[in-house]
Amino acid sequence: MAQTVTECLASGTDSVNLISDVNTNGKKSGYAGGTTDKDGNAVAGTWTQAEINAVVQRNVDHLEIILEYAPVDSDDDTPDVKGAASSKKTTHVAAVTTGKKYITDNS
Protein backbone atom coordinates (compact mmCIF):
# COMPACT_ATOMS: atom_id res chain seq x y z
CA MET A 1 0.00 0.00 0.00
CA ALA A 2 1.39 3.38 -0.98
CA GLN A 3 2.03 6.08 1.55
CA THR A 4 -0.14 9.16 1.70
CA VAL A 5 1.16 12.73 1.52
CA THR A 6 0.50 13.03 5.26
CA GLU A 7 2.53 9.90 6.00
CA CYS A 8 5.41 11.14 3.87
CA LEU A 9 5.43 14.48 5.67
CA ALA A 10 5.22 12.72 9.04
CA SER A 11 8.44 10.89 8.16
CA GLY A 12 10.14 14.29 8.06
CA THR A 13 8.91 15.45 11.47
CA ASP A 14 12.11 14.38 13.24
CA SER A 15 14.12 16.48 10.80
CA VAL A 16 11.86 19.48 11.39
CA ASN A 17 12.30 19.07 15.15
CA LEU A 18 16.07 18.68 14.90
CA ILE A 19 16.52 21.78 12.75
CA SER A 20 14.28 23.84 15.02
CA ASP A 21 16.05 22.72 18.19
CA VAL A 22 19.56 23.23 16.83
CA ASN A 23 18.55 26.66 15.51
CA THR A 24 17.22 27.62 18.94
CA ASN A 25 19.82 25.98 21.17
CA GLY A 26 22.96 25.67 19.03
CA LYS A 27 25.67 23.57 20.68
CA LYS A 28 23.43 23.05 23.70
CA SER A 29 20.91 21.11 21.61
CA GLY A 30 20.68 17.43 22.40
CA TYR A 31 20.64 16.88 18.65
CA ALA A 32 24.06 18.55 18.47
CA GLY A 33 25.78 16.70 21.28
CA GLY A 34 24.53 18.99 24.03
CA THR A 35 23.68 17.57 27.43
CA THR A 36 22.18 18.69 30.71
CA ASP A 37 24.02 19.13 33.97
CA LYS A 38 22.88 17.74 37.34
CA ASP A 39 20.63 20.76 37.78
CA GLY A 40 18.93 20.22 34.42
CA ASN A 41 20.63 23.13 32.66
CA ALA A 42 21.61 22.73 29.02
CA VAL A 43 25.35 22.40 28.49
CA ALA A 44 27.18 22.69 25.18
CA GLY A 45 28.50 19.43 23.80
CA THR A 46 31.86 18.74 22.23
CA TRP A 47 30.70 18.71 18.62
CA THR A 48 32.42 21.14 16.31
CA GLN A 49 30.37 23.66 14.39
CA ALA A 50 31.24 21.77 11.19
CA GLU A 51 29.77 18.57 12.67
CA ILE A 52 26.61 20.38 13.73
CA ASN A 53 26.27 21.97 10.30
CA ALA A 54 26.67 18.55 8.67
CA VAL A 55 23.83 17.12 10.78
CA VAL A 56 21.61 20.06 9.93
CA GLN A 57 22.49 19.70 6.22
CA ARG A 58 21.60 16.00 6.20
CA ASN A 59 18.21 16.83 7.67
CA VAL A 60 17.65 19.69 5.21
CA ASP A 61 18.50 17.25 2.40
CA HIS A 62 16.03 14.69 3.80
CA LEU A 63 13.23 17.26 3.87
CA GLU A 64 14.02 18.52 0.37
CA ILE A 65 13.78 14.95 -0.96
CA ILE A 66 10.42 14.42 0.72
CA LEU A 67 9.09 17.74 -0.60
CA GLU A 68 9.97 16.67 -4.16
CA TYR A 69 8.02 13.37 -4.07
CA ALA A 70 5.69 13.21 -7.07
CA PRO A 71 4.36 10.48 -9.32
CA VAL A 72 6.07 10.20 -12.69
CA ASP A 73 2.92 8.99 -14.50
CA SER A 74 -0.65 7.86 -13.86
CA ASP A 75 0.51 4.35 -12.91
CA ASP A 76 2.94 5.60 -10.27
CA ASP A 77 1.50 5.45 -6.74
CA THR A 78 4.13 7.81 -5.28
CA PRO A 79 2.29 10.41 -3.18
CA ASP A 80 2.24 13.86 -4.76
CA VAL A 81 3.90 15.79 -1.95
CA LYS A 82 5.31 18.29 -4.44
CA GLY A 83 1.83 19.08 -5.76
CA ALA A 84 0.08 19.03 -2.38
CA ALA A 85 -1.37 22.19 -0.89
CA SER A 86 1.37 24.38 0.53
CA SER A 87 -0.52 24.59 3.83
CA LYS A 88 0.27 20.90 4.41
CA LYS A 89 3.99 21.54 3.95
CA THR A 90 4.45 24.83 5.82
CA THR A 91 6.54 23.51 8.71
CA HIS A 92 8.72 21.41 6.41
CA VAL A 93 9.41 24.25 4.00
CA ALA A 94 10.12 26.59 6.92
CA ALA A 95 12.54 24.05 8.43
CA VAL A 96 14.47 23.85 5.15
CA THR A 97 14.76 27.64 5.09
CA THR A 98 15.75 27.76 8.76
CA GLY A 99 18.32 24.99 8.35
CA LYS A 100 19.97 26.65 5.36
CA LYS A 101 20.11 29.98 7.17
CA TYR A 102 21.55 28.32 10.28
CA ILE A 103 24.34 26.75 8.22
CA THR A 104 25.08 30.03 6.42
CA ASP A 105 25.10 31.98 9.68
CA ASN A 106 27.36 29.42 11.37
CA SER A 107 29.90 28.69 8.66
Side-chain angles (χ1 to χ4, degrees):
M1 184 167 135
Q3 284 187 309
T4 64
V5 168
T6 301
E7 290 169 334
C8 288
L9 292 172
S11 71
T13 301
D14 287 342
S15 290
V16 171
N17 293 339
L18 179 144
I19 291 166
S20 176
D21 194 68
V22 170
N23 185 58
T24 301
N25 298 306
K27 290 186 176 203
K28 292 182 179 181
S29 170
Y31 294 107
T35 59
T36 54
D37 64 17
K38 63 181 172 71
D39 297 321
N41 300 310
V43 178
T46 59
W47 290 16
T48 66
Q49 190 61 54
E51 290 170 320
I52 296 169
N53 288 357
V55 167
V56 172
Q57 185 63 59
R58 283 192 300 273
N59 283 273
V60 165
D61 293 345
H62 175 64
L63 291 174
E64 288 182 322
I65 289 168
I66 290 170
L67 290 168
E68 287 296 314
Y69 284 175
V72 294
D73 59 35
S74 61
D75 294 327
D76 186 352
D77 64 357
T78 300
D80 191 5
V81 176
K82 186 174 184 174
S86 60
S87 60
K88 288 187 171 194
K89 305 178 284 190
T90 303
T91 57
H92 293 66
V93 172
V96 167
T97 302
T98 298
K100 287 180 176 183
K101 183 174 182 335
Y102 178 85
I103 293 167
T104 299
D105 291 351
N106 291 281
S107 291

Coordinates of all heavy atoms in Angstrom, one line a residue:
M1 N 0.8 -1.2 0.0 CA 0.0 0.0 0.0 C 0.9 1.2 0.0 O 1.8 1.3 0.8 CB -0.9 0.0 1.2 CG -1.9 1.1 1.3 SD -3.1 0.8 2.6 CE -3.1 2.3 3.4
A2 N 0.6 2.2 -0.9 CA 1.4 3.4 -1.0 C 1.1 4.3 0.2 O 0.1 4.3 0.8 CB 1.0 4.1 -2.3
Q3 N 2.2 5.1 0.5 CA 2.0 6.1 1.6 C 1.2 7.2 1.1 O 1.1 7.5 -0.1 CB 3.4 6.6 1.9 CG 4.2 5.7 2.8 CD 5.5 6.4 3.3 OE1 6.2 7.0 2.5 NE2 5.8 6.4 4.5
T4 N 0.6 8.0 2.0 CA -0.1 9.2 1.7 C 0.8 10.4 1.8 O 1.9 10.2 2.4 CB -1.3 9.4 2.6 OG1 -0.8 9.6 4.0 CG2 -2.3 8.2 2.6
V5 N 0.4 11.5 1.4 CA 1.2 12.7 1.5 C 1.4 13.0 3.0 O 2.5 13.3 3.4 CB 0.4 13.9 0.9 CG1 1.1 15.2 1.3 CG2 0.4 13.8 -0.6
T6 N 0.4 12.8 3.8 CA 0.5 13.0 5.3 C 1.5 12.1 5.9 O 2.3 12.5 6.7 CB -0.9 12.8 6.0 OG1 -1.8 13.8 5.4 CG2 -0.8 13.0 7.4
E7 N 1.5 10.9 5.5 CA 2.5 9.9 6.0 C 3.9 10.3 5.6 O 4.9 10.2 6.4 CB 2.2 8.5 5.6 CG 0.9 7.9 6.2 CD 0.5 6.6 5.6 OE1 0.7 6.4 4.4 OE2 -0.2 5.9 6.3
C8 N 4.1 10.7 4.3 CA 5.4 11.1 3.9 C 5.9 12.3 4.7 O 7.1 12.4 5.1 CB 5.4 11.5 2.4 SG 5.2 10.1 1.3
L9 N 5.0 13.3 4.9 CA 5.4 14.5 5.7 C 5.7 14.1 7.1 O 6.7 14.6 7.7 CB 4.4 15.6 5.6 CG 4.2 16.2 4.2 CD1 3.0 17.1 4.2 CD2 5.5 16.9 3.8
A10 N 5.0 13.2 7.7 CA 5.2 12.7 9.0 C 6.6 12.1 9.2 O 7.3 12.3 10.2 CB 4.2 11.7 9.5
S11 N 7.1 11.5 8.1 CA 8.4 10.9 8.2 C 9.5 12.0 8.2 O 10.7 11.7 8.6 CB 8.7 10.0 7.0 OG 8.8 10.7 5.8
G12 N 9.2 13.2 8.0 CA 10.1 14.3 8.1 C 10.0 15.1 9.4 O 10.8 16.0 9.6
T13 N 9.1 14.7 10.2 CA 8.9 15.5 11.5 C 10.2 15.5 12.3 O 10.5 16.5 12.9 CB 7.7 14.9 12.3 OG1 6.6 15.0 11.4 CG2 7.5 15.6 13.5
D14 N 10.9 14.4 12.4 CA 12.1 14.4 13.2 C 13.1 15.4 12.7 O 13.8 16.1 13.5 CB 12.7 13.0 13.3 CG 12.0 12.0 14.2 OD1 11.1 12.5 15.0 OD2 12.2 10.8 14.0
S15 N 13.2 15.5 11.4 CA 14.1 16.5 10.8 C 13.7 17.9 11.1 O 14.5 18.8 11.4 CB 14.2 16.3 9.3 OG 14.9 15.1 9.0
V16 N 12.4 18.2 11.0 CA 11.9 19.5 11.4 C 12.2 19.8 12.8 O 12.7 20.9 13.1 CB 10.3 19.5 11.2 CG1 9.8 20.8 11.8 CG2 10.0 19.4 9.7
N17 N 12.0 18.9 13.7 CA 12.3 19.1 15.2 C 13.8 19.3 15.4 O 14.2 20.2 16.2 CB 11.8 17.9 16.0 CG 10.3 17.8 16.0 OD1 9.6 18.7 15.7 ND2 9.8 16.6 16.3
L18 N 14.6 18.5 14.7 CA 16.1 18.7 14.9 C 16.5 20.1 14.5 O 17.2 20.8 15.2 CB 16.8 17.6 14.1 CG 18.3 17.7 14.1 CD1 18.9 16.3 14.1 CD2 18.9 18.5 13.0
I19 N 16.1 20.5 13.3 CA 16.5 21.8 12.7 C 16.1 22.9 13.7 O 16.8 23.8 14.0 CB 16.0 22.0 11.3 CG1 16.7 21.0 10.4 CG2 16.2 23.4 10.9 CD1 16.1 20.9 9.0
S20 N 14.8 22.8 14.1 CA 14.3 23.8 15.0 C 15.1 23.9 16.3 O 15.4 25.0 16.8 CB 12.8 23.5 15.3 OG 12.3 24.5 16.2
D21 N 15.4 22.7 16.9 CA 16.1 22.7 18.2 C 17.5 23.2 18.1 O 18.0 24.0 18.9 CB 16.0 21.3 18.8 CG 16.4 21.3 20.3 OD1 15.6 21.9 21.1 OD2 17.5 20.8 20.6
V22 N 18.2 22.8 17.0 CA 19.6 23.2 16.8 C 19.6 24.7 16.6 O 20.4 25.5 17.1 CB 20.3 22.5 15.7 CG1 21.6 23.1 15.3 CG2 20.5 21.0 16.1
N23 N 18.6 25.2 15.8 CA 18.5 26.7 15.5 C 18.3 27.5 16.8 O 18.9 28.5 17.0 CB 17.4 27.0 14.5 CG 17.4 28.4 14.1 OD1 18.4 28.9 13.6 ND2 16.3 29.1 14.3
T24 N 17.5 26.9 17.7 CA 17.2 27.6 18.9 C 18.3 27.5 20.0 O 18.7 28.4 20.6 CB 15.9 27.1 19.5 OG1 14.9 27.3 18.6 CG2 15.6 27.8 20.9
N25 N 18.9 26.3 20.1 CA 19.8 26.0 21.2 C 21.3 25.8 20.8 O 22.1 25.7 21.6 CB 19.4 24.7 21.9 CG 18.0 24.9 22.5 OD1 17.8 25.8 23.3 ND2 17.1 24.0 22.2
G26 N 21.6 25.8 19.5 CA 23.0 25.7 19.0 C 23.7 24.5 19.6 O 23.1 23.4 19.7
K27 N 24.9 24.7 20.1 CA 25.7 23.6 20.7 C 25.1 22.9 21.9 O 25.5 21.9 22.3 CB 27.1 24.1 21.0 CG 27.9 24.4 19.7 CD 29.3 24.7 20.1 CE 30.1 24.9 18.8 NZ 31.5 24.7 18.9
K28 N 24.1 23.6 22.5 CA 23.4 23.0 23.7 C 22.3 22.1 23.3 O 21.8 21.4 24.2 CB 22.9 24.2 24.6 CG 24.0 25.0 25.2 CD 23.4 26.1 26.1 CE 24.5 26.9 26.8 NZ 23.9 27.9 27.7
S29 N 22.0 22.0 22.1 CA 20.9 21.1 21.6 C 21.3 19.7 21.8 O 22.5 19.3 21.5 CB 20.6 21.4 20.1 OG 19.8 20.3 19.6
G30 N 20.4 18.9 22.3 CA 20.7 17.4 22.4 C 20.9 16.8 21.1 O 21.6 15.8 21.0
Y31 N 20.4 17.4 20.0 CA 20.6 16.9 18.7 C 22.0 17.2 18.2 O 22.5 16.7 17.1 CB 19.6 17.5 17.7 CG 18.2 17.1 17.9 CD1 17.3 18.0 18.4 CD2 17.8 15.8 17.5 CE1 16.0 17.6 18.6 CE2 16.4 15.4 17.7 CZ 15.5 16.4 18.3 OH 14.2 16.0 18.4
A32 N 22.7 18.1 18.9 CA 24.1 18.6 18.5 C 25.1 18.2 19.5 O 26.1 18.9 19.7 CB 24.1 20.1 18.2
G33 N 24.8 17.2 20.3 CA 25.8 16.7 21.3 C 25.7 17.4 22.6 O 26.4 17.1 23.5
G34 N 24.7 18.3 22.8 CA 24.5 19.0 24.0 C 24.0 18.0 25.1 O 23.4 17.0 24.8
T35 N 24.2 18.4 26.3 CA 23.7 17.6 27.4 C 23.1 18.5 28.5 O 23.0 19.7 28.3 CB 24.8 16.8 28.1 OG1 25.8 17.7 28.6 CG2 25.5 15.8 27.1
T36 N 22.7 17.9 29.6 CA 22.2 18.7 30.7 C 23.0 18.4 31.9 O 23.5 17.2 32.1 CB 20.7 18.4 31.0 OG1 20.5 17.0 31.2 CG2 19.8 18.9 29.9
D37 N 23.2 19.4 32.8 CA 24.0 19.1 34.0 C 23.1 18.6 35.1 O 21.9 18.3 34.8 CB 24.7 20.4 34.4 CG 23.8 21.5 34.8 OD1 22.6 21.3 35.0 OD2 24.3 22.7 34.9
K38 N 23.7 18.3 36.2 CA 22.9 17.7 37.3 C 21.7 18.6 37.8 O 20.7 18.1 38.3 CB 23.8 17.4 38.5 CG 24.4 18.7 39.2 CD 25.3 18.2 40.3 CE 26.1 19.4 40.9 NZ 25.4 20.4 41.6
D39 N 21.7 19.9 37.4 CA 20.6 20.8 37.8 C 19.6 20.9 36.6 O 18.7 21.7 36.8 CB 21.2 22.1 38.2 CG 22.1 22.1 39.4 OD1 21.7 21.3 40.3 OD2 23.1 22.8 39.4
G40 N 19.8 20.2 35.5 CA 18.9 20.2 34.4 C 19.2 21.3 33.4 O 18.4 21.6 32.6
N41 N 20.3 22.0 33.6 CA 20.6 23.1 32.7 C 21.3 22.6 31.4 O 22.2 21.7 31.5 CB 21.6 24.1 33.4 CG 20.9 24.7 34.6 OD1 19.8 25.2 34.5 ND2 21.6 24.7 35.7
A42 N 21.0 23.2 30.3 CA 21.6 22.7 29.0 C 23.1 23.1 29.0 O 23.4 24.2 29.4 CB 20.9 23.4 27.8
V43 N 23.9 22.2 28.6 CA 25.3 22.4 28.5 C 25.8 22.1 27.1 O 25.4 21.1 26.5 CB 26.1 21.5 29.5 CG1 27.6 21.7 29.4 CG2 25.6 21.7 30.9
A44 N 26.7 22.9 26.5 CA 27.2 22.7 25.2 C 27.9 21.4 25.1 O 28.7 21.0 26.0 CB 28.1 23.8 24.7
G45 N 27.8 20.7 24.0 CA 28.5 19.4 23.8 C 29.9 19.7 23.2 O 30.3 20.8 23.1
T46 N 30.5 18.6 22.8 CA 31.9 18.7 22.2 C 31.9 18.7 20.7 O 33.0 18.7 20.1 CB 32.7 17.6 22.7 OG1 32.1 16.3 22.3 CG2 32.9 17.6 24.3
W47 N 30.7 18.7 20.1 CA 30.7 18.7 18.6 C 31.2 20.0 18.1 O 31.0 21.1 18.6 CB 29.3 18.5 18.1 CG 28.7 17.2 18.3 CD1 29.1 16.2 19.2 CD2 27.5 16.7 17.7 NE1 28.3 15.1 19.1 CE2 27.3 15.4 18.2 CE3 26.7 17.2 16.8 CZ2 26.3 14.6 17.8 CZ3 25.6 16.4 16.4 CH2 25.4 15.1 16.9
T48 N 32.0 19.9 17.0 CA 32.4 21.1 16.3 C 31.3 21.8 15.5 O 30.3 21.1 15.3 CB 33.6 20.8 15.3 OG1 33.0 20.0 14.2 CG2 34.7 20.1 16.0
Q49 N 31.4 23.0 15.2 CA 30.4 23.7 14.4 C 30.2 23.0 13.0 O 29.1 22.8 12.5 CB 30.7 25.1 14.2 CG 29.5 25.9 13.6 CD 28.3 25.9 14.5 OE1 28.3 26.2 15.6 NE2 27.1 25.4 13.9
A50 N 31.3 22.5 12.5 CA 31.2 21.8 11.2 C 30.4 20.5 11.3 O 29.6 20.1 10.4 CB 32.6 21.5 10.7
E51 N 30.6 19.8 12.4 CA 29.8 18.6 12.7 C 28.3 18.9 12.8 O 27.4 18.2 12.3 CB 30.3 17.8 13.9 CG 31.6 17.2 13.7 CD 32.3 16.7 15.0 OE1 32.1 17.4 16.1 OE2 32.9 15.6 15.0
I52 N 28.0 20.0 13.5 CA 26.6 20.4 13.7 C 26.0 20.8 12.4 O 24.9 20.4 12.0 CB 26.5 21.5 14.8 CG1 27.0 21.0 16.1 CG2 25.1 22.1 14.8 CD1 27.2 22.1 17.2
N53 N 26.8 21.6 11.6 CA 26.3 22.0 10.3 C 26.0 20.8 9.4 O 25.0 20.8 8.6 CB 27.3 22.9 9.6 CG 27.3 24.3 10.3 OD1 26.5 24.6 11.2 ND2 28.2 25.1 9.8
A54 N 26.8 19.8 9.5 CA 26.7 18.5 8.7 C 25.4 17.8 9.0 O 24.7 17.3 8.2 CB 27.9 17.6 8.8
V55 N 25.1 17.8 10.3 CA 23.8 17.1 10.8 C 22.6 17.9 10.3 O 21.7 17.3 9.8 CB 23.8 17.0 12.3 CG1 22.4 16.6 12.8 CG2 24.8 16.0 12.8
V56 N 22.7 19.2 10.4 CA 21.6 20.1 9.9 C 21.4 19.9 8.4 O 20.3 19.7 7.9 CB 21.8 21.5 10.3 CG1 20.8 22.4 9.6 CG2 21.8 21.7 11.8
Q57 N 22.6 19.9 7.7 CA 22.5 19.7 6.2 C 21.8 18.4 5.8 O 21.0 18.3 4.9 CB 23.9 19.8 5.6 CG 23.9 19.8 4.1 CD 23.1 20.9 3.5 OE1 23.5 22.1 3.7 NE2 22.0 20.7 2.7
R58 N 22.2 17.3 6.5 CA 21.6 16.0 6.2 C 20.1 16.0 6.4 O 19.3 15.5 5.6 CB 22.2 14.9 7.1 CG 23.6 14.4 6.6 CD 24.0 13.2 7.3 NE 24.1 13.2 8.7 CZ 25.2 13.7 9.4 NH1 26.3 14.1 8.7 NH2 25.2 13.7 10.7
N59 N 19.6 16.7 7.4 CA 18.2 16.8 7.7 C 17.5 17.8 6.7 O 16.4 17.5 6.3 CB 18.0 17.2 9.1 CG 18.2 16.0 10.0 OD1 17.3 15.2 10.3 ND2 19.4 15.8 10.5
V60 N 18.2 18.8 6.3 CA 17.6 19.7 5.2 C 17.5 18.9 3.9 O 16.5 18.9 3.3 CB 18.6 20.9 5.0 CG1 18.2 21.6 3.7 CG2 18.5 21.9 6.1
D61 N 18.5 18.1 3.6 CA 18.5 17.2 2.4 C 17.3 16.3 2.5 O 16.6 16.1 1.5 CB 19.8 16.5 2.2 CG 21.0 17.3 1.9 OD1 20.8 18.5 1.6 OD2 22.1 16.8 2.1
H62 N 17.1 15.7 3.6 CA 16.0 14.7 3.8 C 14.7 15.4 3.5 O 13.8 14.8 2.8 CB 16.1 14.1 5.2 CG 15.0 13.2 5.6 ND1 14.8 12.0 5.0 CD2 14.0 13.3 6.5 CE1 13.7 11.4 5.5 NE2 13.2 12.2 6.4
L63 N 14.5 16.6 4.1 CA 13.2 17.3 3.9 C 13.0 17.7 2.4 O 11.9 17.6 1.9 CB 13.2 18.5 4.8 CG 13.0 18.2 6.3 CD1 13.1 19.5 7.1 CD2 11.7 17.4 6.6
E64 N 14.1 18.1 1.8 CA 14.0 18.5 0.4 C 13.6 17.3 -0.5 O 12.9 17.5 -1.5 CB 15.3 19.2 -0.1 CG 15.5 20.5 0.5 CD 16.8 21.2 0.0 OE1 17.8 20.5 -0.2 OE2 16.7 22.4 -0.2
I65 N 14.1 16.2 -0.2 CA 13.8 15.0 -1.0 C 12.3 14.7 -0.8 O 11.6 14.4 -1.8 CB 14.7 13.8 -0.5 CG1 16.1 13.9 -1.0 CG2 14.1 12.4 -1.0 CD1 17.1 13.0 -0.4
I66 N 11.8 14.7 0.5 CA 10.4 14.4 0.7 C 9.5 15.4 0.0 O 8.5 15.0 -0.6 CB 10.1 14.5 2.2 CG1 10.8 13.3 2.9 CG2 8.6 14.5 2.5 CD1 10.8 13.3 4.5
L67 N 9.9 16.7 0.0 CA 9.1 17.7 -0.6 C 9.0 17.6 -2.1 O 8.1 18.2 -2.8 CB 9.6 19.1 -0.2 CG 9.4 19.5 1.3 CD1 10.1 20.7 1.7 CD2 7.9 19.6 1.6
E68 N 9.9 16.9 -2.7 CA 10.0 16.7 -4.2 C 9.2 15.4 -4.6 O 9.1 15.2 -5.8 CB 11.4 16.6 -4.7 CG 12.1 18.0 -4.7 CD 11.4 19.0 -5.6 OE1 11.1 18.6 -6.8 OE2 11.2 20.1 -5.2
Y69 N 8.7 14.6 -3.7 CA 8.0 13.4 -4.1 C 6.9 13.7 -5.0 O 6.1 14.6 -4.7 CB 7.4 12.7 -2.9 CG 8.4 11.9 -2.0 CD1 7.9 11.3 -0.8 CD2 9.7 11.7 -2.3 CE1 8.7 10.6 0.0 CE2 10.5 11.0 -1.4 CZ 10.0 10.4 -0.3 OH 10.9 9.7 0.5
A70 N 6.8 13.0 -6.1 CA 5.7 13.2 -7.1 C 5.6 12.0 -8.0 O 6.7 11.4 -8.3 CB 5.9 14.5 -7.9
P71 N 4.4 11.6 -8.4 CA 4.4 10.5 -9.3 C 4.9 10.9 -10.7 O 4.8 12.0 -11.1 CB 2.9 10.2 -9.4 CG 2.2 11.4 -8.9 CD 3.2 12.1 -8.0
V72 N 5.5 9.9 -11.4 CA 6.1 10.2 -12.7 C 5.0 10.0 -13.8 O 5.2 10.5 -14.9 CB 7.3 9.4 -13.0 CG1 8.5 9.8 -12.1 CG2 7.0 7.9 -12.9
D73 N 4.0 9.2 -13.5 CA 2.9 9.0 -14.5 C 1.7 8.5 -13.8 O 1.7 8.3 -12.5 CB 3.3 8.0 -15.6 CG 3.8 6.6 -15.1 OD1 3.2 6.2 -14.1 OD2 4.7 6.0 -15.7
S74 N 0.6 8.2 -14.5 CA -0.6 7.9 -13.9 C -0.6 6.5 -13.2 O -1.5 6.2 -12.4 CB -1.8 7.9 -14.9 OG -1.5 7.0 -15.9
D75 N 0.4 5.7 -13.5 CA 0.5 4.3 -12.9 C 1.4 4.4 -11.7 O 1.5 3.4 -10.9 CB 1.1 3.4 -13.9 CG 0.2 3.1 -15.1 OD1 -1.1 3.1 -14.9 OD2 0.7 2.9 -16.2
D76 N 2.0 5.5 -11.4 CA 2.9 5.6 -10.3 C 2.1 6.0 -9.0 O 1.4 7.0 -9.0 CB 4.0 6.7 -10.6 CG 5.0 6.8 -9.5 OD1 5.0 6.2 -8.5 OD2 6.0 7.6 -9.8
D77 N 2.3 5.2 -8.0 CA 1.5 5.5 -6.7 C 2.3 6.3 -5.7 O 1.9 6.4 -4.6 CB 1.0 4.2 -6.1 CG 2.1 3.2 -5.6 OD1 3.3 3.5 -5.8 OD2 1.7 2.2 -5.0
T78 N 3.4 6.9 -6.2 CA 4.1 7.8 -5.3 C 3.2 9.0 -4.9 O 2.6 9.6 -5.7 CB 5.4 8.4 -6.0 OG1 6.2 7.3 -6.4 CG2 6.1 9.3 -5.1
P79 N 3.1 9.3 -3.6 CA 2.3 10.4 -3.2 C 2.8 11.7 -3.8 O 4.0 11.9 -3.9 CB 2.4 10.4 -1.7 CG 3.0 9.1 -1.3 CD 3.8 8.6 -2.5
D80 N 1.9 12.6 -4.1 CA 2.2 13.9 -4.8 C 2.5 14.9 -3.7 O 1.7 15.9 -3.5 CB 1.2 14.3 -5.8 CG 1.6 15.5 -6.6 OD1 2.8 15.9 -6.5 OD2 0.8 15.9 -7.4
V81 N 3.6 14.8 -3.0 CA 3.9 15.8 -2.0 C 4.2 17.1 -2.6 O 3.8 18.2 -2.2 CB 5.1 15.3 -1.1 CG1 5.5 16.4 -0.1 CG2 4.7 14.0 -0.4
K82 N 4.9 17.1 -3.7 CA 5.3 18.3 -4.4 C 4.1 19.1 -4.9 O 4.1 20.3 -4.8 CB 6.2 17.9 -5.7 CG 6.7 19.1 -6.4 CD 7.6 18.7 -7.5 CE 8.3 19.9 -8.2 NZ 9.3 19.5 -9.1
G83 N 3.0 18.4 -5.3 CA 1.8 19.1 -5.8 C 0.8 19.3 -4.7 O -0.3 19.9 -5.0
A84 N 1.0 18.9 -3.5 CA 0.1 19.0 -2.4 C 0.0 20.5 -2.0 O 0.9 21.3 -2.2 CB 0.5 18.2 -1.2
A85 N -1.1 20.8 -1.4 CA -1.4 22.2 -0.9 C -0.2 22.6 0.0 O 0.3 21.9 0.8 CB -2.7 22.2 -0.1
S86 N 0.2 23.9 -0.2 CA 1.4 24.4 0.5 C 1.1 24.4 2.0 O 2.0 24.3 2.8 CB 1.8 25.8 0.0 OG 0.7 26.7 0.1
S87 N -0.2 24.5 2.4 CA -0.5 24.6 3.8 C -0.2 23.3 4.5 O 0.1 23.3 5.7 CB -2.0 24.9 4.0 OG -2.8 23.9 3.4
K88 N -0.1 22.2 3.8 CA 0.3 20.9 4.4 C 1.8 20.8 4.7 O 2.2 20.0 5.5 CB -0.1 19.7 3.5 CG -1.6 19.4 3.4 CD -1.8 18.2 2.6 CE -3.3 17.8 2.7 NZ -3.5 16.4 2.3
K89 N 2.5 21.6 3.9 CA 4.0 21.5 4.0 C 4.7 22.7 4.7 O 5.9 22.8 4.7 CB 4.5 21.5 2.5 CG 3.9 20.3 1.7 CD 4.4 20.3 0.3 CE 3.8 21.4 -0.5 NZ 4.1 21.3 -2.0
T90 N 3.9 23.6 5.3 CA 4.4 24.8 5.8 C 5.6 24.6 6.8 O 6.7 25.2 6.6 CB 3.3 25.6 6.5 OG1 2.3 25.9 5.6 CG2 3.9 26.9 7.1
T91 N 5.5 23.7 7.7 CA 6.5 23.5 8.7 C 7.8 22.9 8.1 O 8.9 23.2 8.5 CB 6.1 22.6 9.9 OG1 5.6 21.4 9.4 CG2 5.0 23.3 10.7
H92 N 7.6 22.0 7.1 CA 8.7 21.4 6.4 C 9.5 22.4 5.6 O 10.7 22.4 5.6 CB 8.2 20.2 5.6 CG 7.7 19.1 6.4 ND1 6.5 19.2 7.1 CD2 8.1 17.9 6.6 CE1 6.3 18.1 7.8 NE2 7.2 17.2 7.4
V93 N 8.8 23.2 4.8 CA 9.4 24.2 4.0 C 10.1 25.3 4.9 O 11.3 25.7 4.6 CB 8.4 24.9 3.1 CG1 9.0 26.1 2.4 CG2 7.8 23.9 2.1
A94 N 9.5 25.6 6.0 CA 10.1 26.6 6.9 C 11.4 26.0 7.5 O 12.4 26.7 7.7 CB 9.1 27.0 8.0
A95 N 11.4 24.7 7.8 CA 12.5 24.0 8.4 C 13.7 24.0 7.4 O 14.9 24.2 7.8 CB 12.2 22.6 8.9
V96 N 13.4 23.8 6.2 CA 14.5 23.8 5.2 C 15.1 25.2 5.1 O 16.3 25.4 5.1 CB 13.9 23.5 3.8 CG1 14.9 23.8 2.7 CG2 13.6 22.0 3.7
T97 N 14.3 26.3 5.1 CA 14.8 27.6 5.1 C 15.6 27.9 6.3 O 16.7 28.5 6.3 CB 13.6 28.6 5.0 OG1 12.9 28.3 3.8 CG2 14.1 30.1 5.0
T98 N 15.1 27.5 7.5 CA 15.8 27.8 8.8 C 17.1 27.0 8.8 O 18.1 27.6 9.2 CB 14.9 27.3 9.9 OG1 13.7 28.1 9.9 CG2 15.6 27.4 11.3
G99 N 17.1 25.8 8.3 CA 18.3 25.0 8.3 C 19.4 25.6 7.5 O 20.6 25.7 7.8
K100 N 19.0 26.0 6.3 CA 20.0 26.6 5.4 C 20.5 27.9 5.9 O 21.7 28.2 5.8 CB 19.3 26.9 4.0 CG 19.1 25.6 3.2 CD 18.4 26.0 1.9 CE 18.3 24.7 1.0 NZ 17.7 25.0 -0.3
K101 N 19.7 28.7 6.6 CA 20.1 30.0 7.2 C 21.0 29.7 8.3 O 22.1 30.4 8.5 CB 18.9 30.8 7.6 CG 19.3 32.2 8.2 CD 18.1 33.0 8.5 CE 18.4 34.4 9.0 NZ 19.7 34.6 9.7
Y102 N 20.7 28.7 9.1 CA 21.6 28.3 10.3 C 23.0 28.0 9.8 O 24.0 28.4 10.4 CB 21.0 27.1 11.1 CG 21.9 26.7 12.2 CD1 21.8 27.3 13.4 CD2 22.8 25.7 12.0 CE1 22.6 27.0 14.5 CE2 23.7 25.3 13.0 CZ 23.6 26.0 14.3 OH 24.4 25.6 15.3
I103 N 23.0 27.2 8.8 CA 24.3 26.8 8.2 C 25.1 28.0 7.7 O 26.3 28.1 8.0 CB 24.2 25.7 7.1 CG1 23.7 24.4 7.8 CG2 25.5 25.4 6.4 CD1 23.1 23.4 6.8
T104 N 24.4 28.8 7.0 CA 25.1 30.0 6.4 C 25.6 30.9 7.6 O 26.7 31.4 7.5 CB 24.1 30.8 5.5 OG1 23.7 30.0 4.4 CG2 24.7 32.1 5.0
D105 N 24.7 31.1 8.6 CA 25.1 32.0 9.7 C 26.2 31.4 10.6 O 26.8 32.1 11.3 CB 23.9 32.3 10.6 CG 22.8 33.2 9.9 OD1 23.1 33.7 8.8 OD2 21.7 33.3 10.4
N106 N 26.4 30.1 10.5 CA 27.4 29.4 11.4 C 28.5 28.7 10.6 O 29.0 27.7 11.1 CB 26.6 28.4 12.3 CG 25.8 29.1 13.3 OD1 26.2 29.6 14.3 ND2 24.5 29.2 13.0
S107 N 28.8 29.3 9.5 CA 29.9 28.7 8.7 C 31.1 29.6 8.7 O 31.1 30.7 9.0 CB 29.5 28.6 7.2 OG 28.5 27.5 7.1

